[in-house]
Amino acid sequence: PRPQSGDDPAVGMTAPGIRGFGPDSVEQVFANGAPRAIMLAAHWCGHCQNELNAINAYLDGGGTFPAEVEIQTISTWADSGRDNFPPGEWLADNSWPHRTIVDDEDATLAFALGLSGTPMWVFVDADGTVVDRTGALDPADLAARMAALSA
């Protein structure tokens, strides 16, 4: 798991390749070989909703992210009894254009990436090495971290 403070033991490790299905039941593969920023989010999480809103407002206001770094999303901890279910509709309603995999009931993908809370970001360089894991980010910080990956 991502520690709340101190050094992150995952930094420097090879990120796993991830395979699963999107909200539209189309298979998605998140493979190493290109830099990527992976957002783990839960449909019922207020912080995740704020993160999506802030990113969309940033982009709508003319902000940009480096094209060389793909934002990928893992929708995890789905709960039919909570707000914004199903997650695919929640993401579509928020005009979230990024490739998404829906995690299984056991949160297998999220726990493979060390999820300790949502939202969580995992930054992976082109060699497949985890360079950072963090919680919620403002869009400018996200853009800066993505720019560092694309350098």
Side-chain angles (χ1 to χ4, degrees):
R2 183 179 70 84
Q4 296 300 315
S5 63
D7 292 338
D8 185 344
V11 171
M13 296 179 73
T14 300
I18 299 170
R19 177 182 303 256
F21 292 91
D24 54 4
S25 299
V26 173
E27 185 175 36
Q28 298 287 328
V29 177
F30 296 171
N32 294 329
R36 55 199 171 118
I38 306 166
M39 179 186 183
L40 294 102
H43 61 88
W44 46 263
C45 167
H47 298 290
C48 298
Q49 182 67 53
N50 291 341
E51 190 99 345
L52 265 63
N53 291 343
I55 290 169
N56 285 340
Y58 174 80
L59 294 172
D60 290 346
T64 61
F65 296 128
E68 303 84 11
V69 181
E70 181 180 11
I71 292 178
Q72 302 170 336
T73 310
I74 296 175
S75 173
T76 193
W77 290 341
D79 183 341
S80 62
R82 298 185 78 173
D83 292 343
N84 300 317
F85 188 84
E89 287 180 20
W90 168 64
L91 293 168
D93 289 347
N94 281 276
S95 302
W96 192 249
H98 308 288
R99 288 195 309 138
T100 299
I101 291 177
V102 177
D103 208 350
D104 64 20
E105 291 178 2
D106 296 324
T108 302
L109 299 176
F111 290 131
L113 292 170
L115 181 67
S116 56
T118 55
M120 185 175 119
W121 288 92
V122 179
F123 296 91
V124 180
D125 70 14
D127 295 328
T129 303
V130 174
V131 297
D132 193 15
R133 295 187 303 172
T134 190
L137 292 172
D138 66 62
D141 191 14
L142 175 59
R145 290 170 192 247
M146 291 175 68
L149 280 177
S150 70

